[in-house]
Amino acid sequence: MSKNSPAIILSCPQMGENIGASARGMLNFELQDLRLVAPRDGWPNQAAIDNGAGAFDVMSETPVFDALPEALSDCHYVYATTARTRDMVKPVMDVHAAMKDARERHAQGQKIGFVFGPERTGLENNDLSHCHALIHVPTAPDFSSLNLGQCVLLIAYAWHSSAIKESKIEIKTGDADPVTHEKMEELFLRLEGELDKARFFRDDNLKPAILRNIRNMLLRAEITDQEARTFHGIISALIGNKTQD
Amino acid sequence: MSKNSPAIILSCPQMGENIGASARGMLNFELQDLRLVAPRDGWPNQAAIDNGAGAFDVMSETPVFDALPEALSDCHYVYATTARTRDMVKPVMDVHAAMKDARERHAQGQKIGFVFGPERTGLENNDLSHCHALIHVPTAPDFSSLNLGQCVLLIAYAWHSSAIKESKIEIKTGDADPVTHEKMEELFLRLEGELDKARFFRDDNLKPAILRNIRNMLLRAEITDQEARTFHGIISALIGNKTQD
């Protein structure tokens, strides 16, 4: 975990449980610079430790500050998370835009801070005046109650996943070898032969199209060498010729 | 909330608390098709209701199934979430890729399912064989313990945010009018005049560059009409001429 990775600053958090959940969510996504401003129930806090699932054993010590500006002293750019939009002249970003912006600043060596307000009220306008930009997490209008720990988790996840330049899909084959075209061809030809014998193709005119469909279907499945052998076994079983299995 | 929006299927969930957190996280992000397969502690479950923060009052009834295939019967494409990669021939997607894929299928009218395994063990290979693809949520290798409710929250968030085509940054000005160029020019010229009087520009050669810097700085701040007036007041105060404020 980079020393320069973003700080998560909880301003006046009320419930220890949420501090614990925040720490846990941060570590899940490789953040560990947690800072507390005037936590209601003091610090250290047993409820936080209990709900942290070991997070505080892994994290370096969590500093506690009396006021928000002190907690931000080494930060170059600070984003405040808010549920409501405010009557305030300030850039408002959605999460994706904020992370793109933060990644660019981080790459330039800037220390980033993400500030979260207390559970009940959120950040006060005075706190917001210490922050450069607002992050708005859009939630369902009729059920928008993200709790503090969940909100920190989402921001930590969004930060972590913003490092992934391109999304990817890969087919896991484990130890299995993909099948060669030659063996697929053997399989197709055998299947075609057996279907012929079984009078599967009632209309000779349709036969080429049906064969193409079957071929497309099996290629799309990107089957493995082992699976091709299994398929031979299936054909053998269905035609009642166990000796070819 | 669309009737065709994705289903969240919890296979053999153990703790009611996590079912409640899942429901809550779903509703935060406009999903409400929750399905349970053989919940350990039965259904309905008081711990789920308590931890759902009212989610079950908003959601339609949560159906319970004996086995996974029944819960998936109306789905066209099903993603399983796994913490570990498996020795199994199956597309493995990161969250972003999975949501892109799912959005395309959803736009074609397909019913999507996201399947989550029990807390302790995750999904069994037999369960996975009913799913088309795996979603891998990358977490810190040394602190990877995402709980079930958190995992559902992240997937719901990722689904919801995948609908946002372009990320955006906007400057919220509230009711404030942006300042006109004319008034900015008045402000600059007044500032320049006062700085001249105060012998701020010690080197006439540097004066144009310094003025450009000040101009750039103030334009970058995109100040409002009210803020321009405030700035005039600041100048007045600093020069000791309160009558101009």
Side-chain angles (χ1 to χ4, degrees):
Chain A
M1 301 193 189
S2 156
K3 285 223 168 183
N4 192 39
S5 71
I8 298 286
I9 302 104
L10 306 186
S11 180
C12 307
Q14 300 175 294
M15 296 180 64
E17 288 81 353
N18 286 329
I19 302 173
S22 297
R24 183 179 173 174
M26 286 173 63
L27 279 188
N28 284 149
F29 295 111
E30 309 197 59
L31 295 179
Q32 63 170 341
D33 187 350
L34 174 63
R35 305 169 184 195
L36 304 177
V37 179
R40 186 191 64 184
D41 297 341
W43 193 256
N45 176 306
Q46 193 57 45
I49 293 166
D50 291 345
N51 208 34
F56 296 103
D57 301 335
V58 179
M59 265 181 175
S60 43
E61 212 178 328
T62 305
V64 178
F65 301 88
D66 289 333
L68 183 60
E70 298 163 26
L72 304 178
S73 60
D74 62 332
C75 294
H76 298 98
Y77 201 88
V78 176
Y79 303 84
T81 57
T82 62
R84 303 167 278 138
T85 54
R86 309 295 183 112
D87 192 18
M88 189 171 283
V89 184
K90 192 85 79 178
V92 180
M93 308 183 181
D94 65 31
V95 179
H96 186 76
M99 294 306 154
K100 190 162 173 287
D101 186 71
R103 277 281 162 199
E104 284 166 14
R105 295 177 188 280
H106 180 257
Q108 291 160 13
Q110 292 187 30
K111 177 77 180 181
I112 302 297
F114 295 112
V115 180
F116 299 78
E119 288 89 333
R120 188 171 297 273
T121 55
L123 289 165
E124 290 174 12
N125 285 348
N126 195 38
D127 294 329
L128 293 180
S129 76
H130 292 282
C131 303
H132 297 80
L134 306 185
I135 300 180
H136 178 62
V137 182
T139 50
D142 49 353
F143 202 87
S144 59
S145 62
L146 269 184
N147 85 15
L148 175 58
Q150 291 172 324
C151 197
V152 171
L153 176 75
L154 287 184
I155 293 297
Y157 162 76
W159 166 260
H160 189 256
S161 67
S162 69
I164 299 167
K165 289 277 181 290
E166 282 189 72
S167 59
K168 59 181 180 171
I169 300 178
E170 51 181 334
I171 305 280
K172 280 293 287 187
T173 54
D175 296 333
D177 294 321
V179 72
T180 61
H181 200 74
E182 183 186 20
K183 286 194 181 165
M184 276 307 278
E185 208 48 31
E186 271 175 35
L187 181 62
F188 283 133
L189 292 176
R190 180 166 172 230
L191 183 61
E192 180 184 345
E194 295 298 345
L195 291 175
D196 260 334
K197 280 194 240 168
R199 300 179 180 275
F200 175 79
F201 304 105
R202 300 196 185 160
D203 183 337
D204 276 352
N205 292 328
L206 292 179
K207 183 176 166 182
I210 294 170
L211 283 175
R212 274 199 303 277
N213 287 348
I214 294 172
R215 197 178 288 266
N216 282 335
M217 182 174 66
L218 288 180
L219 284 183
R220 201 167 58 228
E222 297 185 53
I223 71 177
T224 65
D225 193 68
Q226 174 57 51
E227 288 166 339
R229 276 177 276 147
T230 302
F231 212 102
H232 273 291
I234 290 170
I235 296 171
S236 300
L238 293 178
I239 62 176
N241 180 1
K242 298 286 186 189
T243 58
Q244 287 196 22
D245 192 355
Chain B
M1 302 191 187
S2 155
K3 285 223 167 181
N4 192 39
S5 71
I8 298 287
I9 302 105
L10 306 186
S11 181
C12 307
Q14 299 176 293
M15 296 179 64
E17 287 81 353
N18 285 329
I19 302 173
S22 298
R24 182 178 171 174
M26 287 172 63
L27 279 188
N28 283 150
F29 295 110
E30 307 197 58
L31 295 179
Q32 65 169 340
D33 187 351
L34 173 63
R35 305 169 183 196
L36 305 177
V37 179
R40 185 190 65 184
D41 297 340
W43 193 257
N45 176 306
Q46 193 58 46
I49 293 166
D50 291 345
N51 208 33
F56 295 104
D57 300 334
V58 179
M59 266 182 175
S60 43
E61 212 178 329
T62 306
V64 178
F65 300 89
D66 290 331
L68 184 60
E70 297 162 29
L72 303 178
S73 60
D74 63 331
C75 294
H76 297 98
Y77 202 87
V78 176
Y79 304 83
T81 57
T82 63
R84 304 168 277 140
T85 55
R86 310 296 183 109
D87 191 18
M88 189 172 282
V89 184
K90 191 85 81 179
V92 180
M93 307 182 181
D94 64 31
V95 179
H96 186 76
M99 293 307 153
K100 191 162 174 285
D101 186 71
R103 276 281 163 200
E104 284 167 13
R105 294 177 189 281
H106 180 257
Q108 291 159 14
Q110 291 187 31
K111 177 77 180 181
I112 302 298
F114 295 113
V115 180
F116 299 78
E119 288 89 335
R120 188 172 296 275
T121 55
L123 289 165
E124 291 174 12
N125 285 348
N126 195 38
D127 294 328
L128 294 180
S129 76
H130 291 283
C131 303
H132 297 81
L134 306 185
I135 300 180
H136 178 62
V137 182
T139 50
D142 49 354
F143 202 87
S144 59
S145 62
L146 267 185
N147 86 14
L148 175 58
Q150 291 172 323
C151 197
V152 170
L153 176 76
L154 287 184
I155 293 296
Y157 163 75
W159 166 259
H160 190 256
S161 67
S162 69
I164 299 167
K165 289 277 182 288
E166 282 188 74
S167 59
K168 58 180 181 173
I169 300 178
E170 50 181 335
I171 306 279
K172 280 294 286 187
T173 54
D175 295 332
D177 293 321
V179 72
T180 61
H181 200 75
E182 183 185 20
K183 288 196 179 161
M184 276 308 278
E185 209 48 30
E186 273 176 34
L187 181 61
F188 284 134
L189 291 176
R190 178 164 175 232
L191 183 61
E192 181 184 344
E194 296 298 344
L195 290 175
D196 261 334
K197 283 193 238 168
R199 302 180 181 275
F200 175 79
F201 304 106
R202 299 195 187 163
D203 182 339
D204 275 353
N205 292 327
L206 291 179
K207 182 177 166 182
I210 293 170
L211 282 175
R212 272 199 305 276
N213 287 346
I214 294 172
R215 197 179 287 267
N216 283 334
M217 182 173 66
L218 287 180
L219 284 183
R220 200 166 60 228
E222 297 186 51
I223 72 177
T224 65
D225 194 68
Q226 173 58 50
E227 288 166 340
R229 276 177 277 149
T230 302
F231 213 100
H232 274 291
I234 291 170
I235 296 170
S236 300
L238 293 178
I239 63 177
N241 179 2
K242 299 286 186 190
T243 59
Q244 287 197 21
D245 191 357

